[in-house]
Amino acid sequence: MNEMIQKKVFPVTGEGYNMPAYEEAYKNFAWEDVEKQFSWHTTNKVNMAYEAIDRHVDTPLKNKTALYYSDASRDEQYTFEELKALSDKFGNVLRKYGIQKGDRVFVFMPRTPELYVSVLGTIKVGAIVGPLFEAFMEGAVRDRLEDSGAVAIITTPALLSRVPVSELPALKHVILFGEDGELAEGQISYEKEMEQASADFEIEWVDREDGLILHYTSGSTGKPKGILHVHNAMIQHYQTAKWVLDLQDSDVYWCTADPGWVTGTSYGIFGPWLNGATNVVRGGRFSPQDWYSTIEKYKVTVWYSAPTAFRMLMGAGDELVKQFDLASLRHVLSVGEPLNPEVVYWGMKVFAKRIHDTWWMTETGGQLICNYATMDVKPGSMGKPFPGIVAAIVDDEGNELPPNRMGNLAIKTGWPSMMRRVWNNPAKYEEYFRLEGWYVSGDSAYMDEDGYFWFQGRVDDVIMTAGERVGPFEVESKLVEHPAVAEAGVIGKPDPVRGEIIKAFIALRDGYEESEELLAEIRQFVKIGLAAHAAPREIEVRDKLPKTRSGKIMRRVLKAWELGLPTGDLSTMED
Ligand code: WTA
């Protein structure tokens, strides 16, 4: 199968891209040269928000549109100068309440301009910003605020009910956007404060190794991990957005990811604005019509999305595509899950564009293995390492494997946007670096003889559903909180559109009978406790679940049951 796919290659289509030919770019590259782009090259002090926004106000980009925003009820645009002014004011609001460098400030909002202003303003005072998906429910919000010791949250009245303020002693300030009624104690009105805030603001200059952003992400065990990135990451954001996304300041760029996810910050905020590009943000829910009309309306030139979205668009049919003028598109990219060759073929057919796959992780902060505009694309492959990055397939001892052998996808340590810490959990951080000199990704892959990398799967049990990482342990823990559930095991079940869906196997407590209503209630329980995307789409009741003698649920046995495969070695299973 792979043999066959590998033979099909889509060659480089044209010239005029930022990145030189791949081999040349790789050979001549040095991160130190990229650093010279930024002011701290001379001052040693930096601030991401300055480099992404403020810096452009002293250039011809000043009055250029930085952000197009629309949803069902709003249609707005903001220049770089306007975004600077708004985020300066918001910085003053935060300072007024004593928020300072190093504090954790969470942004829990639907995708609106105010979300972007909040993120920028938070960074401007040197605080560490924690973006949260608006879909998170109370349990998920509590875990993250508690673990990070957040002192403030910016949210909306509708989402506030999911913030258990009274259980979070460190949380001193709740800034509400869209509240026109009475404010309770400790609550602050975003609009009122912004109206009164001074426009004079002095940015907090920080060190390049100071904290910038905290993204929580799931692993196979334990609660979500807080991955800390620092201002230094901008070197990578800038250069990858320039070469991989091929952003120029004339581009209208649409990253479809929410800032609650790392793609929505590294490449929905930092990368594009560091390069002076115009960002498109479309609020509201996904629909194929809406997406195509967004491209048409803004004449989007560069589009960064995810396989699940492309598969859903593909499912909506080719006829629909023809109803829109998508001629502005010049570069299309994907991230987050394996990009099936069929989707790449479809992209060629309907957009006459190659869809460029990119591989990276929350922990890596930026793109590492990609298909570039100036390189042949092999559909099904993630591409080749970015210049300055050394990637390899290694065995469990850290020995590099020859081409075409499957093993651990590992990266030589030391790229600019590498995570600097797992919040409160140094042991977890160390696990990634257990093989001397390597960052171990947790993905398995192989490299072909041309140096292209091919994704094979996760080494652990992490589920990837519609591009979102879900830790089975988190879902299992929530399931067993339900009074009817005695034990639970959760796996990813292959799905043609979402990549995987979440399937739970449960055993019921004595006195409970399996019924449609009960299963629906259990599903709802997880949905309310964690998030809609974490709720199992399928629940199967079993008398007993397979466990090791030490009591650990054997997910690989559940998976084998599900797929009708042999269960393999069961020597550690309890009787
Ligand atoms: C998976 C997303 C196949 C992979 C930026 C990785 C991919 C995890 C690809 C990180 C790709 C990401 N092909 N799989 N191009 N890109 N993944 O942290 O398993 O949400 O380890 O970051 O997504 O997911 P995360």
Side-chain angles (χ1 to χ4, degrees), residues 217 261-263 334-339 357-363 382 441 443 455 458 464 467 469:
T217 189
W261 188 39
V262 71
T263 306
S334 172
V335 63
E337 329 150 48
L339 181 66
D357 193 14
T358 63
W359 176 91
W360 56 294
M361 306 174 65
T362 305
E363 293 87 335
M382 307 186 288
S441 67
D443 285 358
F455 179 83
R458 286 290 304 176
M464 190 55 85
R469 260 161 93 171

Side-chain angles (χ1 to χ4, degrees), residues 190-356:
Y190 178 97
E191 290 90 333
K192 282 210 193 89
E193 294 287 342
M194 286 294 273
E195 230 176 82
Q196 294 161 8
S198 156
D200 287 332
F201 177 75
E202 206 150 316
I203 201 163
E204 182 81 32
W205 296 107
V206 300
D207 292 325
R208 30 204 285 197
E209 289 299 317
D210 279 329
L212 168 75
I213 194 163
L214 196 53
H215 272 290
Y216 278 81
T217 189
S218 301
S220 57
T221 55
K223 294 203 165 173
K225 305 171 271 201
I227 304 296
L228 181 74
H229 289 291
V230 298
H231 287 254
N232 190 68
M234 75 172 66
I235 300 172
Q236 190 131 10
H237 296 151
Y238 170 80
Q239 193 63 27
T240 50
K242 181 167 177 169
W243 278 4
V244 182
L245 304 177
D246 191 50
L247 287 181
Q248 329 204 347
D249 60 27
S250 52
D251 276 310
V252 178
Y253 163 74
W254 187 26
C255 170
T256 60
D258 189 283
W261 188 39
V262 71
T263 306
T265 58
S266 292
Y267 298 106
I269 298 180
F270 307 135
W273 281 336
L274 285 167
N275 281 280
T278 299
N279 253 327
V280 170
V281 174
R282 174 75 184 156
R285 285 190 151 261
F286 169 87
S287 88
Q289 285 82 351
D290 193 76
W291 275 35
Y292 291 136
S293 70
T294 298
I295 295 174
E296 182 179 75
K297 170 175 166 149
Y298 295 110
K299 300 197 169 45
V300 170
T301 56
V302 180
W303 182 28
Y304 197 16
S305 196
T308 294
F310 288 125
R311 287 188 295 256
M312 284 158 101
L313 292 173
M314 202 165 119
D318 299 356
E319 282 309 306
L320 183 65
V321 186
K322 297 185 189 135
Q323 296 168 18
F324 298 88
D325 178 5
L326 309 180
S328 58
L329 277 181
R330 64 172 191 86
H331 194 40
V332 183
L333 306 102
S334 172
V335 63
E337 329 150 48
L339 181 66
N340 331 64
E342 301 89 279
V343 179
V344 182
Y345 304 148
W346 171 78
M348 287 300 281
K349 188 170 73 176
V350 299
F351 308 127
K353 287 281 166 286
R354 310 187 306 177
I355 304 181
H356 298 79

Side-chain angles (χ1 to χ4, degrees), residues 393-514:
I393 304 299
V394 302
D395 66 15
D396 292 340
E397 276 74 52
N399 305 303
E400 284 187 52
L401 296 174
N404 296 317
R405 289 266 309 277
M406 190 168 135
N408 301 297
L409 174 55
I411 311 290
K412 273 255 158 69
T413 51
W415 64 95
S417 66
M418 191 170 85
M419 65 171 162
R420 293 300 196 266
R421 229 195 300 161
V422 176
W423 202 263
N424 277 336
N425 203 338
K428 266 274 177 289
Y429 181 82
E430 292 303 326
E431 272 176 32
Y432 291 93
F433 303 98
R434 61 186 178 274
L435 301 178
E436 184 69 35
W438 295 105
Y439 162 83
V440 185
S441 67
D443 285 358
S444 64
Y446 71 90
M447 186 187 76
D448 68 18
E449 40 295 281
D450 299 328
Y452 283 72
F453 284 78
W454 300 74
F455 179 83
Q456 299 295 293
R458 286 290 304 176
V459 176
D460 56 24
D461 300 325
V462 171
I463 300 166
M464 190 55 85
T465 179
E468 295 187 41
R469 260 161 93 171
V470 176
F473 182 77
E474 233 190 318
V475 184
E476 289 163 1
S477 308
K478 188 49 75 181
L479 282 164
V480 297
E481 275 178 32
H482 189 281
V485 180
E487 44 188 34
V490 166
I491 60 163
K493 172 178 172 177
D495 179 83
V497 174
R498 292 181 171 76
E500 289 182 309
I501 57 163
I502 299 174
K503 168 148 192 180
F505 291 85
I506 58 170
L508 294 175
R509 283 187 193 285
D510 287 346
Y512 286 92
E513 285 286 325
E514 177 178 352

